[in-house]
Amino acid sequence: MKKILLVTALILPLAACTQTEKGAGIGAASGAIIGGVATGNVRGAAVGAAVGGVAGALIGNANEPGRCIYRDRYGRRYTAAC
């Protein structure tokens, strides 16, 4: 069961739309794993996920061109300048 959750946590971020979303997802998953292994408790995993998510989002945002994908309140996606 743990292996299935781990594989899901690592594959799910790849379904994100923008580089920022992908970076945040991968960073959060990696941070949670590293934080959990380093401290051996859930609190360390949560802190690792938070730090990894922010760092991944910043790195992903830096890799995007000057256009971002947004969603309106009806769920439709559109591209505009960031």
Side-chain angles (χ1 to χ4, degrees):
M1 185 66 172
K2 289 181 182 181
K3 290 181 182 180
I4 292 172
L5 291 174
L6 179 63
V7 169
T8 303
L10 294 175
I11 293 175
L12 191 61
L14 300 177
C17 297
T18 64
Q19 290 296 327
T20 302
E21 293 171 347
K22 288 180 184 178
I26 292 171
S30 301
I33 292 169
I34 293 169
V37 169
T39 62
N41 60 27
V42 177
R43 185 176 299 180
V47 170
V51 172
V54 170
L58 291 174
I59 292 169
N61 190 23
N63 290 326
E64 284 187 16
R67 309 289 291 170
C68 292
I69 299 174
Y70 297 99
R71 290 187 191 267
D72 63 9
R73 63 180 166 179
Y74 302 109
R76 295 180 298 228
R77 295 187 326 171
Y78 63 94
T79 305
C82 294

